[in-house]
Amino acid sequence: MALETQLRVVGKETAAPAVRFALTAVFTHMHSGPSGRRRGGKELVRLLKVARGTAAEVGEWRVVRLLQDALDYAEGRILRPDLDELYRVYRDGARKVRNRDFVASSLRAGHEWMVAVSEAYLRDHPGASAQDVLTHFKAQSADTGFLRAPDDRPGRYVIPRGMSEISLWLERLLRSDRIEIEDPVSEARRLATSPEALALLAADQDGRLILQAAELQRRTAGLRALRAVVDDTTATEAELQRALQGNHWIFGGQYVGEAARRRLVPGDEVDIPLIRADGALHIVELKRSMGLKRPLIRRHRNAWVPADAVHEAVGQAVNYLVGLDENRARIRAEFGIETRRACALVLVGHPALHADVPEEEVAETLRTFNAHVTRLEVLTYKELLDNAERSLAVGVGPA
């Protein structure tokens, strides 16, 4: 209704038939809603822009300005009280007493709160200077952004003391290189206003627990996403690689990160190059999980043995290790990576591929194989995920 009243004013200001025709189209749209309700939306904004452009074409620049105000209101850039104040002159000429009283009461409440806070501080700190009071008041003002409405106290509101300082502290911690957070400001505010986060902060003065909690949440989300890809029968090696990248903790706490380069030897590109704490390289060779088309193990006489799919993957990993050994001096000189003690992990398949074989039989077959080879280990994706789940249950180690 406020917008329509303003547009009626615009209609009185224009003398151009084309502008009036454009305004008629605006009114027609506004009154086309069901049950007599006015319509807005993108079409209203489009029609207002047409009317503004028409007024500009005929040189009615005062009308252009009025239509720009209408557009700003329709798109939320001007609020209802402001629109009422701007165009009161075109109605009864009087300012709305309700708006004036609302502003006055808000200012009065703010000043009363400021006085109450200052008086309480001076009672506790009788020797405080004016600067001390101002500093305290600024801290209180920052805490108002964390206003709460307790469920058990209807109609009452609480401003937590020191919450803005805690939020700033969390933001600085989350911005550090100890943990990767996409939006540290919003994450710090979320953690600071969370009862669980406050309990953690109270339990640990140095903040280690809150960092561990955030890292645990990140790792849990990454593990959940990886499990979904592992269980997908259509997932490719490239999709598995994307799910694993950035989550080197899944492979164990002895790794400090991933190497920036995957092609260290001409003609060879490893899937995931991990760096151990001693600086040595550990490569991960990825094959399909539930999408593997061949068996992991096969029956040989009276025992289970690794099948061709495992041997081929192992052979590929061995070739990578041979190449790394042969190019050790160049790799160390160019990239600063030690490959003399390089090892390899082959991730292949899933026990669920053998529905007729107990899962433990599959795992035991691969463990027996691993016991007889050096610098190389074969795991199923399920065993990797189970190991990672157990590490999360114990607690978060190095990020």
Side-chain angles (χ1 to χ4, degrees):
M1 185 174 65
L3 179 60
E4 183 175 351
T5 302
Q6 193 262 358
L7 289 173
R8 297 293 180 192
V9 172
V10 178
K12 295 177 181 178
E13 292 290 323
T14 181
V19 177
R20 289 179 178 170
F21 180 80
L23 286 173
T24 300
V26 173
F27 291 131
T28 300
H29 172 76
M30 291 179 68
H31 289 282
S32 63
S35 304
R37 289 183 295 179
R38 293 177 178 84
R39 291 183 62 189
K42 294 182 179 179
E43 180 61 14
L44 174 62
V45 172
R46 186 190 70 81
L47 291 171
L48 286 172
K49 289 180 178 179
V50 170
R52 182 188 61 184
T54 303
E57 289 175 358
V58 300
E60 290 189 344
W61 300 110
R62 176 175 173 75
V63 174
V64 170
R65 185 183 65 79
L66 296 175
L67 285 171
Q68 183 60 53
D69 288 342
L71 261 172
D72 288 341
Y73 176 69
E75 295 184 313
R77 289 187 293 273
I78 290 181
L79 302 179
R80 169 73 179 274
D82 293 328
L83 191 73
D84 284 336
E85 286 294 300
L86 283 171
Y87 291 96
R88 63 185 174 85
V89 68
Y90 296 113
R91 299 177 202 164
D92 55 11
R95 306 192 79 164
K96 283 206 171 185
V97 176
R98 183 179 62 188
N99 292 347
R100 181 199 62 197
D101 291 346
F102 174 74
V103 174
S105 63
S106 299
L107 288 172
R108 183 171 58 253
H111 282 84
E112 289 175 351
W113 173 75
M114 179 177 67
V115 171
V117 168
S118 300
E119 288 178 341
Y121 181 76
L122 287 172
R123 280 196 301 270
D124 296 335
H125 305 81
S129 66
Q131 185 60 46
D132 293 335
V133 175
L134 287 175
T135 301
H136 175 70
F137 178 69
K138 288 178 181 178
Q140 294 287 316
S141 300
D143 287 338
T144 59
F146 300 88
L147 183 78
R148 295 177 184 169
D151 293 336
D152 58 343
R153 299 167 65 187
R156 302 289 295 177
Y157 300 91
V158 176
I159 300 175
R161 294 282 299 274
M163 189 59 69
S164 63
E165 185 177 358
I166 291 174
S167 179
L168 179 61
W169 172 69
L170 284 170
E171 179 188 338
R172 289 174 177 172
L173 286 177
L174 295 176
R175 283 189 184 278
S176 71
D177 58 4
R178 285 172 280 180
I179 183 171
E180 294 181 4
I181 297 291
E182 291 185 0
D183 188 354
V185 176
S186 62
E187 185 68 8
R189 181 173 289 267
R190 183 189 70 79
L191 290 171
T193 54
S194 163
E196 294 82 6
L198 289 178
L200 288 173
L201 290 172
D204 187 272
Q205 187 65 27
D206 295 330
R208 290 189 299 271
L209 287 181
I210 194 64
L211 287 175
Q212 289 177 353
E215 177 66 5
L216 180 63
Q217 184 181 36
R218 183 184 74 85
R219 292 185 180 187
T220 301
L223 196 59
R224 189 184 306 115
L226 175 60
R227 191 176 290 279
V229 180
V230 166
D231 293 339
D232 185 356
T233 58
T234 65
T236 64
E237 294 171 14
E239 290 170 331
L240 288 163
Q241 180 179 341
R242 284 194 295 270
L244 281 164
Q245 281 180 336
N247 289 304
H248 63 268
W249 67 270
I250 288 176
F251 299 99
Q254 68 268 37
Y255 303 108
V256 297
E258 299 176 26
R261 297 181 63 92
R262 292 168 53 204
R263 189 182 294 275
L264 300 172
V265 176
D268 288 343
E269 185 173 271
V270 301
D271 292 330
I272 299 179
L274 300 176
I275 303 297
R276 294 203 306 260
D278 62 359
L281 182 70
H282 188 109
I283 65 173
V284 181
E285 174 62 23
L286 303 178
K287 297 302 177 184
R288 291 198 178 205
S289 176
M290 287 297 292
L292 193 67
K293 303 301 182 184
R294 295 183 294 170
L296 275 174
I297 60 176
R298 63 181 177 84
R299 197 71 177 172
H300 179 69
R301 296 181 179 175
N302 295 321
W304 292 101
V305 297
D308 290 344
V310 172
H311 289 294
E312 290 177 9
V314 167
Q316 186 174 353
V318 169
N319 286 337
Y320 288 154
L321 292 177
V322 170
L324 293 172
D325 288 342
E326 293 175 346
N327 291 269
R328 178 205 169 206
R330 180 185 60 80
I331 294 172
R332 187 174 56 180
E334 292 184 12
F335 309 117
I337 298 175
E338 178 56 66
T339 62
R340 168 179 281 177
R341 303 181 304 278
C343 297
L345 170 67
V346 174
L347 282 177
V348 57
H350 195 287
L353 293 171
H354 295 272
D356 56 337
V357 181
E359 181 179 320
E360 183 57 31
E361 288 282 357
V362 178
E364 186 61 29
T365 301
L366 295 180
R367 280 196 288 267
T368 301
F369 175 81
N370 291 332
H372 291 80
V373 295
T374 58
R375 299 179 63 187
L376 193 141
E377 182 182 16
V378 179
L379 284 182
T380 64
Y381 283 90
K382 185 178 187 304
E383 189 166 0
L384 176 75
L385 291 172
D386 289 346
N387 291 342
E389 290 278 9
R390 284 190 287 271
S391 73
L392 287 183
V394 172
V396 176

